[in-house]
Amino acid sequence: TVTSFADTFGRTLDALATLLPDAKMAVANVPDVTSFPFFTTISNRQLDRFGQPVLDASGRPRFLLGPNNLALTANDLVLLSAKASIAAGIGYPLNTFVYLTPTDSVPGTGTGLSDAQVLNNTEALTLQDRARRFNAIIDTTLRSTTKKRDFAVLDLDGLLRRAKSPGIEIRGVVYTSKFLTGGLFGLDGVSLNDMAQALLCNQAIAAVNARYGSNIQPVDPVRYAT
């Protein structure tokens, strides 16, 4: 909970300050995980053989079936782990087809995706709100005037927001948080790949240099492109 995080975070900093009074520290904030490709790659809509949304008689998109065989809403997120189930026709109503290629289709089973394969809008908003509130606590706690907590802050949240939009340009190439083609996330859609880890390293170096007056040189992210 927000309350328990605030308490634990403050007590942790106090313990570190007591045990390591002269240590120079950096604290990373919390990213919005719902922007990761694990949550953003699979469409929540029924798609035709050309990858376009299937529309109803009123011209509105038809959504996949979710838990309890109810249609998803526009703001529900389908997890990357649901891909194999969708390819088998789960999530598509009876008398519809999921198209694997322009010439290959699988009939819908009429069975909805499970709760474990969907992050509904309420759950997504809760995660986003929790990350924002945790980060506010981190900022407030580190800037406490009553205790010496002026540590460097590694803005992991800001880095990944830039990756989502507009992207991070390196030597004329724009890297984003899109699955595979974005060039920053691993195959699980959650783990940062080597290049993204290099960018995170540079973010930490910049924060430490700015706070403590050090002159640590950044790494070249292109060396770690995969």
PDB file of all heavy atoms in Angstrom, residues 122-155:
ATOM      1  N   THR A 122      -9.451  -0.935 -14.744  1.00  0.00           N
ATOM      2  CA  THR A 122      -9.355  -0.590 -13.319  1.00  0.00           C
ATOM      3  C   THR A 122      -8.015  -0.997 -12.748  1.00  0.00           C
ATOM      4  O   THR A 122      -7.369  -0.240 -12.004  1.00  0.00           O
ATOM      5  CB  THR A 122     -10.493  -1.268 -12.531  1.00  0.00           C
ATOM      6  OG1 THR A 122     -11.747  -0.807 -13.031  1.00  0.00           O
ATOM      7  CG2 THR A 122     -10.390  -0.946 -11.049  1.00  0.00           C
ATOM      8  N   GLU A 123      -7.570  -2.202 -13.099  1.00  0.00           N
ATOM      9  CA  GLU A 123      -6.267  -2.672 -12.619  1.00  0.00           C
ATOM     10  C   GLU A 123      -5.131  -1.807 -13.174  1.00  0.00           C
ATOM     11  O   GLU A 123      -4.177  -1.475 -12.456  1.00  0.00           O
ATOM     12  CB  GLU A 123      -6.068  -4.127 -13.023  1.00  0.00           C
ATOM     13  CG  GLU A 123      -7.022  -5.094 -12.324  1.00  0.00           C
ATOM     14  CD  GLU A 123      -7.010  -6.477 -12.941  1.00  0.00           C
ATOM     15  OE1 GLU A 123      -6.751  -6.602 -14.159  1.00  0.00           O
ATOM     16  OE2 GLU A 123      -7.262  -7.442 -12.194  1.00  0.00           O
ATOM     17  N   ALA A 124      -5.222  -1.440 -14.451  1.00  0.00           N
ATOM     18  CA  ALA A 124      -4.189  -0.606 -15.064  1.00  0.00           C
ATOM     19  C   ALA A 124      -4.114   0.762 -14.396  1.00  0.00           C
ATOM     20  O   ALA A 124      -3.024   1.267 -14.087  1.00  0.00           O
ATOM     21  CB  ALA A 124      -4.453  -0.455 -16.560  1.00  0.00           C
ATOM     22  N   LEU A 125      -5.275   1.362 -14.151  1.00  0.00           N
ATOM     23  CA  LEU A 125      -5.302   2.674 -13.499  1.00  0.00           C
ATOM     24  C   LEU A 125      -4.739   2.600 -12.078  1.00  0.00           C
ATOM     25  O   LEU A 125      -4.060   3.529 -11.614  1.00  0.00           O
ATOM     26  CB  LEU A 125      -6.729   3.221 -13.465  1.00  0.00           C
ATOM     27  CG  LEU A 125      -7.311   3.652 -14.812  1.00  0.00           C
ATOM     28  CD1 LEU A 125      -8.775   4.036 -14.660  1.00  0.00           C
ATOM     29  CD2 LEU A 125      -6.515   4.806 -15.414  1.00  0.00           C
ATOM     30  N   THR A 126      -4.997   1.484 -11.397  1.00  0.00           N
ATOM     31  CA  THR A 126      -4.459   1.303 -10.051  1.00  0.00           C
ATOM     32  C   THR A 126      -2.939   1.244 -10.080  1.00  0.00           C
ATOM     33  O   THR A 126      -2.254   1.880  -9.265  1.00  0.00           O
ATOM     34  CB  THR A 126      -5.017   0.020  -9.412  1.00  0.00           C
ATOM     35  OG1 THR A 126      -6.436   0.136  -9.296  1.00  0.00           O
ATOM     36  CG2 THR A 126      -4.416  -0.216  -8.033  1.00  0.00           C
ATOM     37  N   LEU A 127      -2.387   0.500 -11.014  1.00  0.00           N
ATOM     38  CA  LEU A 127      -0.928   0.406 -11.135  1.00  0.00           C
ATOM     39  C   LEU A 127      -0.319   1.767 -11.454  1.00  0.00           C
ATOM     40  O   LEU A 127       0.707   2.156 -10.881  1.00  0.00           O
ATOM     41  CB  LEU A 127      -0.551  -0.599 -12.220  1.00  0.00           C
ATOM     42  CG  LEU A 127      -0.687  -2.082 -11.872  1.00  0.00           C
ATOM     43  CD1 LEU A 127      -0.387  -2.940 -13.090  1.00  0.00           C
ATOM     44  CD2 LEU A 127       0.245  -2.456 -10.739  1.00  0.00           C
ATOM     45  N   GLN A 128      -0.936   2.482 -12.384  1.00  0.00           N
ATOM     46  CA  GLN A 128      -0.417   3.800 -12.772  1.00  0.00           C
ATOM     47  C   GLN A 128      -0.469   4.780 -11.606  1.00  0.00           C
ATOM     48  O   GLN A 128       0.478   5.529 -11.361  1.00  0.00           O
ATOM     49  CB  GLN A 128      -1.201   4.321 -13.971  1.00  0.00           C
ATOM     50  CG  GLN A 128      -0.984   3.516 -15.238  1.00  0.00           C
ATOM     51  CD  GLN A 128      -2.062   3.734 -16.276  1.00  0.00           C
ATOM     52  OE1 GLN A 128      -2.951   4.571 -16.105  1.00  0.00           O
ATOM     53  NE2 GLN A 128      -2.014   2.982 -17.361  1.00  0.00           N
ATOM     54  N   ASP A 129      -1.584   4.762 -10.888  1.00  0.00           N
ATOM     55  CA  ASP A 129      -1.732   5.657  -9.744  1.00  0.00           C
ATOM     56  C   ASP A 129      -0.735   5.299  -8.648  1.00  0.00           C
ATOM     57  O   ASP A 129      -0.136   6.188  -8.015  1.00  0.00           O
ATOM     58  CB  ASP A 129      -3.156   5.571  -9.198  1.00  0.00           C
ATOM     59  CG  ASP A 129      -3.358   6.411  -7.947  1.00  0.00           C
ATOM     60  OD1 ASP A 129      -3.343   7.653  -8.058  1.00  0.00           O
ATOM     61  OD2 ASP A 129      -3.513   5.825  -6.855  1.00  0.00           O
ATOM     62  N   ARG A 130      -0.541   3.993  -8.429  1.00  0.00           N
ATOM     63  CA  ARG A 130       0.389   3.567  -7.374  1.00  0.00           C
ATOM     64  C   ARG A 130       1.813   4.010  -7.708  1.00  0.00           C
ATOM     65  O   ARG A 130       2.546   4.482  -6.835  1.00  0.00           O
ATOM     66  CB  ARG A 130       0.314   2.040  -7.221  1.00  0.00           C
ATOM     67  CG  ARG A 130       0.926   1.485  -5.949  1.00  0.00           C
ATOM     68  CD  ARG A 130       0.212   1.968  -4.696  1.00  0.00           C
ATOM     69  NE  ARG A 130      -1.212   1.724  -4.698  1.00  0.00           N
ATOM     70  CZ  ARG A 130      -1.786   0.608  -4.243  1.00  0.00           C
ATOM     71  NH1 ARG A 130      -1.052  -0.362  -3.760  1.00  0.00           N
ATOM     72  NH2 ARG A 130      -3.095   0.491  -4.254  1.00  0.00           N
ATOM     73  N   ALA A 131       2.212   3.882  -8.970  1.00  0.00           N
ATOM     74  CA  ALA A 131       3.560   4.314  -9.366  1.00  0.00           C
ATOM     75  C   ALA A 131       3.727   5.815  -9.158  1.00  0.00           C
ATOM     76  O   ALA A 131       4.763   6.272  -8.647  1.00  0.00           O
ATOM     77  CB  ALA A 131       3.827   3.936 -10.823  1.00  0.00           C
ATOM     78  N   ARG A 132       2.715   6.600  -9.545  1.00  0.00           N
ATOM     79  CA  ARG A 132       2.798   8.053  -9.357  1.00  0.00           C
ATOM     80  C   ARG A 132       2.928   8.411  -7.877  1.00  0.00           C
ATOM     81  O   ARG A 132       3.737   9.265  -7.496  1.00  0.00           O
ATOM     82  CB  ARG A 132       1.556   8.736  -9.939  1.00  0.00           C
ATOM     83  CG  ARG A 132       1.557   8.860 -11.463  1.00  0.00           C
ATOM     84  CD  ARG A 132       0.468   9.804 -11.924  1.00  0.00           C
ATOM     85  NE  ARG A 132      -0.861   9.312 -11.609  1.00  0.00           N
ATOM     86  CZ  ARG A 132      -1.588   8.558 -12.431  1.00  0.00           C
ATOM     87  NH1 ARG A 132      -1.117   8.219 -13.617  1.00  0.00           N
ATOM     88  NH2 ARG A 132      -2.794   8.146 -12.074  1.00  0.00           N
ATOM     89  N   ARG A 133       2.153   7.751  -7.050  1.00  0.00           N
ATOM     90  CA  ARG A 133       2.176   8.080  -5.618  1.00  0.00           C
ATOM     91  C   ARG A 133       3.476   7.604  -4.962  1.00  0.00           C
ATOM     92  O   ARG A 133       4.023   8.286  -4.086  1.00  0.00           O
ATOM     93  CB  ARG A 133       0.947   7.479  -4.937  1.00  0.00           C
ATOM     94  CG  ARG A 133      -0.346   8.102  -5.458  1.00  0.00           C
ATOM     95  CD  ARG A 133      -1.596   7.470  -4.889  1.00  0.00           C
ATOM     96  NE  ARG A 133      -1.794   7.832  -3.500  1.00  0.00           N
ATOM     97  CZ  ARG A 133      -2.860   7.445  -2.790  1.00  0.00           C
ATOM     98  NH1 ARG A 133      -3.794   6.682  -3.348  1.00  0.00           N
ATOM     99  NH2 ARG A 133      -2.992   7.807  -1.536  1.00  0.00           N
ATOM    100  N   PHE A 134       3.984   6.451  -5.376  1.00  0.00           N
ATOM    101  CA  PHE A 134       5.279   6.000  -4.866  1.00  0.00           C
ATOM    102  C   PHE A 134       6.362   7.011  -5.226  1.00  0.00           C
ATOM    103  O   PHE A 134       7.219   7.344  -4.398  1.00  0.00           O
ATOM    104  CB  PHE A 134       5.635   4.637  -5.458  1.00  0.00           C
ATOM    105  CG  PHE A 134       4.936   3.470  -4.802  1.00  0.00           C
ATOM    106  CD1 PHE A 134       3.899   3.656  -3.906  1.00  0.00           C
ATOM    107  CD2 PHE A 134       5.319   2.177  -5.101  1.00  0.00           C
ATOM    108  CE1 PHE A 134       3.257   2.584  -3.315  1.00  0.00           C
ATOM    109  CE2 PHE A 134       4.690   1.088  -4.512  1.00  0.00           C
ATOM    110  CZ  PHE A 134       3.657   1.294  -3.619  1.00  0.00           C
ATOM    111  N   ASN A 135       6.347   7.499  -6.471  1.00  0.00           N
ATOM    112  CA  ASN A 135       7.371   8.448  -6.904  1.00  0.00           C
ATOM    113  C   ASN A 135       7.258   9.775  -6.163  1.00  0.00           C
ATOM    114  O   ASN A 135       8.266  10.424  -5.875  1.00  0.00           O
ATOM    115  CB  ASN A 135       7.300   8.659  -8.414  1.00  0.00           C
ATOM    116  CG  ASN A 135       7.791   7.436  -9.176  1.00  0.00           C
ATOM    117  OD1 ASN A 135       8.525   6.613  -8.622  1.00  0.00           O
ATOM    118  ND2 ASN A 135       7.406   7.322 -10.434  1.00  0.00           N
ATOM    119  N   ALA A 136       6.039  10.180  -5.860  1.00  0.00           N
ATOM    120  CA  ALA A 136       5.857  11.399  -5.067  1.00  0.00           C
ATOM    121  C   ALA A 136       6.438  11.215  -3.669  1.00  0.00           C
ATOM    122  O   ALA A 136       7.059  12.136  -3.113  1.00  0.00           O
ATOM    123  CB  ALA A 136       4.374  11.754  -4.987  1.00  0.00           C
ATOM    124  N   ILE A 137       6.263  10.025  -3.103  1.00  0.00           N
ATOM    125  CA  ILE A 137       6.833   9.733  -1.791  1.00  0.00           C
ATOM    126  C   ILE A 137       8.352   9.743  -1.854  1.00  0.00           C
ATOM    127  O   ILE A 137       9.034  10.285  -0.964  1.00  0.00           O
ATOM    128  CB  ILE A 137       6.317   8.371  -1.280  1.00  0.00           C
ATOM    129  CG1 ILE A 137       4.827   8.471  -0.926  1.00  0.00           C
ATOM    130  CG2 ILE A 137       7.131   7.883  -0.077  1.00  0.00           C
ATOM    131  CD1 ILE A 137       4.166   7.135  -0.694  1.00  0.00           C
ATOM    132  N   ILE A 138       8.904   9.150  -2.913  1.00  0.00           N
ATOM    133  CA  ILE A 138      10.365   9.147  -3.080  1.00  0.00           C
ATOM    134  C   ILE A 138      10.890  10.576  -3.134  1.00  0.00           C
ATOM    135  O   ILE A 138      11.848  10.938  -2.440  1.00  0.00           O
ATOM    136  CB  ILE A 138      10.758   8.363  -4.348  1.00  0.00           C
ATOM    137  CG1 ILE A 138      10.482   6.871  -4.152  1.00  0.00           C
ATOM    138  CG2 ILE A 138      12.227   8.593  -4.698  1.00  0.00           C
ATOM    139  CD1 ILE A 138      10.639   6.041  -5.408  1.00  0.00           C
ATOM    140  N   ASP A 139      10.256  11.422  -3.946  1.00  0.00           N
ATOM    141  CA  ASP A 139      10.699  12.817  -4.066  1.00  0.00           C
ATOM    142  C   ASP A 139      10.599  13.545  -2.736  1.00  0.00           C
ATOM    143  O   ASP A 139      11.531  14.247  -2.312  1.00  0.00           O
ATOM    144  CB  ASP A 139       9.864  13.546  -5.121  1.00  0.00           C
ATOM    145  CG  ASP A 139      10.192  13.105  -6.535  1.00  0.00           C
ATOM    146  OD1 ASP A 139      11.285  12.541  -6.736  1.00  0.00           O
ATOM    147  OD2 ASP A 139       9.360  13.318  -7.434  1.00  0.00           O
ATOM    148  N   THR A 140       9.461  13.402  -2.068  1.00  0.00           N
ATOM    149  CA  THR A 140       9.248  14.111  -0.801  1.00  0.00           C
ATOM    150  C   THR A 140      10.216  13.637   0.271  1.00  0.00           C
ATOM    151  O   THR A 140      10.791  14.441   1.015  1.00  0.00           O
ATOM    152  CB  THR A 140       7.799  13.906  -0.314  1.00  0.00           C
ATOM    153  OG1 THR A 140       6.897  14.388  -1.307  1.00  0.00           O
ATOM    154  CG2 THR A 140       7.559  14.641   0.988  1.00  0.00           C
ATOM    155  N   THR A 141      10.415  12.331   0.348  1.00  0.00           N
ATOM    156  CA  THR A 141      11.288  11.769   1.384  1.00  0.00           C
ATOM    157  C   THR A 141      12.739  12.184   1.171  1.00  0.00           C
ATOM    158  O   THR A 141      13.449  12.527   2.129  1.00  0.00           O
ATOM    159  CB  THR A 141      11.174  10.233   1.397  1.00  0.00           C
ATOM    160  OG1 THR A 141       9.810   9.853   1.564  1.00  0.00           O
ATOM    161  CG2 THR A 141      12.000   9.638   2.532  1.00  0.00           C
ATOM    162  N   LEU A 142      13.187  12.173  -0.070  1.00  0.00           N
ATOM    163  CA  LEU A 142      14.583  12.520  -0.347  1.00  0.00           C
ATOM    164  C   LEU A 142      14.851  14.000  -0.137  1.00  0.00           C
ATOM    165  O   LEU A 142      15.995  14.400   0.082  1.00  0.00           O
ATOM    166  CB  LEU A 142      14.949  12.126  -1.777  1.00  0.00           C
ATOM    167  CG  LEU A 142      15.011  10.623  -2.068  1.00  0.00           C
ATOM    168  CD1 LEU A 142      15.379  10.376  -3.511  1.00  0.00           C
ATOM    169  CD2 LEU A 142      16.019   9.943  -1.144  1.00  0.00           C
ATOM    170  N   ARG A 143      13.811  14.804  -0.200  1.00  0.00           N
ATOM    171  CA  ARG A 143      13.983  16.240  -0.033  1.00  0.00           C
ATOM    172  C   ARG A 143      13.611  16.701   1.369  1.00  0.00           C
ATOM    173  O   ARG A 143      13.386  17.888   1.604  1.00  0.00           O
ATOM    174  CB  ARG A 143      13.164  16.995  -1.086  1.00  0.00           C
ATOM    175  CG  ARG A 143      13.820  16.942  -2.456  1.00  0.00           C
ATOM    176  CD  ARG A 143      12.848  17.215  -3.587  1.00  0.00           C
ATOM    177  NE  ARG A 143      13.504  17.172  -4.883  1.00  0.00           N
ATOM    178  CZ  ARG A 143      13.914  16.080  -5.502  1.00  0.00           C
ATOM    179  NH1 ARG A 143      13.747  14.913  -4.911  1.00  0.00           N
ATOM    180  NH2 ARG A 143      14.492  16.132  -6.684  1.00  0.00           N
ATOM    181  N   SER A 144      13.547  15.769   2.309  1.00  0.00           N
ATOM    182  CA  SER A 144      13.212  16.105   3.686  1.00  0.00           C
ATOM    183  C   SER A 144      14.243  17.078   4.259  1.00  0.00           C
ATOM    184  O   SER A 144      15.455  16.861   4.154  1.00  0.00           O
ATOM    185  CB  SER A 144      13.177  14.834   4.543  1.00  0.00           C
ATOM    186  OG  SER A 144      13.043  15.160   5.905  1.00  0.00           O
ATOM    187  N   THR A 145      13.769  18.168   4.843  1.00  0.00           N
ATOM    188  CA  THR A 145      14.670  19.167   5.427  1.00  0.00           C
ATOM    189  C   THR A 145      15.105  18.782   6.839  1.00  0.00           C
ATOM    190  O   THR A 145      16.008  19.388   7.402  1.00  0.00           O
ATOM    191  CB  THR A 145      13.969  20.548   5.493  1.00  0.00           C
ATOM    192  OG1 THR A 145      12.758  20.417   6.249  1.00  0.00           O
ATOM    193  CG2 THR A 145      13.653  21.057   4.099  1.00  0.00           C
ATOM    194  N   THR A 146      14.467  17.768   7.391  1.00  0.00           N
ATOM    195  CA  THR A 146      14.789  17.368   8.763  1.00  0.00           C
ATOM    196  C   THR A 146      15.836  16.261   8.809  1.00  0.00           C
ATOM    197  O   THR A 146      16.391  15.976   9.860  1.00  0.00           O
ATOM    198  CB  THR A 146      13.523  16.891   9.495  1.00  0.00           C
ATOM    199  OG1 THR A 146      12.965  15.761   8.800  1.00  0.00           O
ATOM    200  CG2 THR A 146      12.501  18.008   9.560  1.00  0.00           C
ATOM    201  N   LYS A 147      16.089  15.621   7.670  1.00  0.00           N
ATOM    202  CA  LYS A 147      17.054  14.528   7.643  1.00  0.00           C
ATOM    203  C   LYS A 147      17.951  14.672   6.418  1.00  0.00           C
ATOM    204  O   LYS A 147      17.550  15.219   5.399  1.00  0.00           O
ATOM    205  CB  LYS A 147      16.344  13.170   7.630  1.00  0.00           C
ATOM    206  CG  LYS A 147      15.493  12.929   8.874  1.00  0.00           C
ATOM    207  CD  LYS A 147      14.926  11.537   8.884  1.00  0.00           C
ATOM    208  CE  LYS A 147      14.094  11.283  10.140  1.00  0.00           C
ATOM    209  NZ  LYS A 147      13.558   9.931  10.210  1.00  0.00           N
ATOM    210  N   LYS A 148      19.170  14.157   6.538  1.00  0.00           N
ATOM    211  CA  LYS A 148      20.122  14.246   5.442  1.00  0.00           C
ATOM    212  C   LYS A 148      19.849  13.113   4.458  1.00  0.00           C
ATOM    213  O   LYS A 148      20.350  12.004   4.598  1.00  0.00           O
ATOM    214  CB  LYS A 148      21.551  14.161   5.978  1.00  0.00           C
ATOM    215  CG  LYS A 148      22.605  14.442   4.928  1.00  0.00           C
ATOM    216  CD  LYS A 148      24.000  14.390   5.525  1.00  0.00           C
ATOM    217  CE  LYS A 148      25.056  14.635   4.450  1.00  0.00           C
ATOM    218  NZ  LYS A 148      26.425  14.557   4.996  1.00  0.00           N
ATOM    219  N   ARG A 149      19.032  13.415   3.460  1.00  0.00           N
ATOM    220  CA  ARG A 149      18.655  12.373   2.488  1.00  0.00           C
ATOM    221  C   ARG A 149      18.789  12.891   1.058  1.00  0.00           C
ATOM    222  O   ARG A 149      18.062  12.454   0.176  1.00  0.00           O
ATOM    223  CB  ARG A 149      17.209  11.942   2.719  1.00  0.00           C
ATOM    224  CG  ARG A 149      16.965  11.185   4.014  1.00  0.00           C
ATOM    225  CD  ARG A 149      15.481  11.014   4.219  1.00  0.00           C
ATOM    226  NE  ARG A 149      15.173  10.110   5.314  1.00  0.00           N
ATOM    227  CZ  ARG A 149      13.959   9.970   5.837  1.00  0.00           C
ATOM    228  NH1 ARG A 149      12.965  10.705   5.378  1.00  0.00           N
ATOM    229  NH2 ARG A 149      13.736   9.107   6.813  1.00  0.00           N
ATOM    230  N   ASP A 150      19.654  13.829   0.842  1.00  0.00           N
ATOM    231  CA  ASP A 150      19.765  14.432  -0.478  1.00  0.00           C
ATOM    232  C   ASP A 150      20.604  13.545  -1.395  1.00  0.00           C
ATOM    233  O   ASP A 150      21.718  13.880  -1.785  1.00  0.00           O
ATOM    234  CB  ASP A 150      20.376  15.831  -0.367  1.00  0.00           C
ATOM    235  CG  ASP A 150      20.260  16.590  -1.679  1.00  0.00           C
ATOM    236  OD1 ASP A 150      19.497  16.147  -2.552  1.00  0.00           O
ATOM    237  OD2 ASP A 150      20.950  17.617  -1.827  1.00  0.00           O
ATOM    238  N   PHE A 151      20.043  12.375  -1.740  1.00  0.00           N
ATOM    239  CA  PHE A 151      20.737  11.422  -2.590  1.00  0.00           C
ATOM    240  C   PHE A 151      20.476  11.730  -4.065  1.00  0.00           C
ATOM    241  O   PHE A 151      19.572  12.492  -4.408  1.00  0.00           O
ATOM    242  CB  PHE A 151      20.273   9.994  -2.288  1.00  0.00           C
ATOM    243  CG  PHE A 151      20.453   9.584  -0.852  1.00  0.00           C
ATOM    244  CD1 PHE A 151      19.523   8.769  -0.237  1.00  0.00           C
ATOM    245  CD2 PHE A 151      21.550  10.012  -0.122  1.00  0.00           C
ATOM    246  CE1 PHE A 151      19.678   8.383   1.092  1.00  0.00           C
ATOM    247  CE2 PHE A 151      21.710   9.634   1.199  1.00  0.00           C
ATOM    248  CZ  PHE A 151      20.776   8.820   1.807  1.00  0.00           C
ATOM    249  N   ALA A 152      21.263  11.128  -4.927  1.00  0.00           N
ATOM    250  CA  ALA A 152      21.005  11.228  -6.362  1.00  0.00           C
ATOM    251  C   ALA A 152      19.740  10.442  -6.693  1.00  0.00           C
ATOM    252  O   ALA A 152      19.451   9.415  -6.071  1.00  0.00           O
ATOM    253  CB  ALA A 152      22.194  10.675  -7.144  1.00  0.00           C
ATOM    254  N   VAL A 153      18.986  10.932  -7.672  1.00  0.00           N
ATOM    255  CA  VAL A 153      17.752  10.251  -8.077  1.00  0.00           C
ATOM    256  C   VAL A 153      17.892   9.783  -9.518  1.00  0.00           C
ATOM    257  O   VAL A 153      18.105  10.589 -10.434  1.00  0.00           O
ATOM    258  CB  VAL A 153      16.527  11.173  -7.943  1.00  0.00           C
ATOM    259  CG1 VAL A 153      15.269  10.453  -8.412  1.00  0.00           C
ATOM    260  CG2 VAL A 153      16.358  11.632  -6.506  1.00  0.00           C
ATOM    261  N   LEU A 154      17.788   8.482  -9.703  1.00  0.00           N
ATOM    262  CA  LEU A 154      17.821   7.877 -11.032  1.00  0.00           C
ATOM    263  C   LEU A 154      16.390   7.837 -11.561  1.00  0.00           C
ATOM    264  O   LEU A 154      15.551   7.102 -11.032  1.00  0.00           O
ATOM    265  CB  LEU A 154      18.411   6.469 -10.939  1.00  0.00           C
ATOM    266  CG  LEU A 154      18.252   5.527 -12.120  1.00  0.00           C
ATOM    267  CD1 LEU A 154      18.742   6.157 -13.412  1.00  0.00           C
ATOM    268  CD2 LEU A 154      18.971   4.229 -11.858  1.00  0.00           C
ATOM    269  N   ASP A 155      16.100   8.622 -12.590  1.00  0.00           N
ATOM    270  CA  ASP A 155      14.732   8.751 -13.102  1.00  0.00           C
ATOM    271  C   ASP A 155      14.426   7.656 -14.113  1.00  0.00           C
ATOM    272  O   ASP A 155      14.366   7.883 -15.313  1.00  0.00           O
ATOM    273  CB  ASP A 155      14.548  10.139 -13.720  1.00  0.00           C
ATOM    274  CG  ASP A 155      13.097  10.412 -14.101  1.00  0.00           C
ATOM    275  OD1 ASP A 155      12.212   9.628 -13.692  1.00  0.00           O
ATOM    276  OD2 ASP A 155      12.847  11.408 -14.812  1.00  0.00           O
TER     277      ASP A 155
END
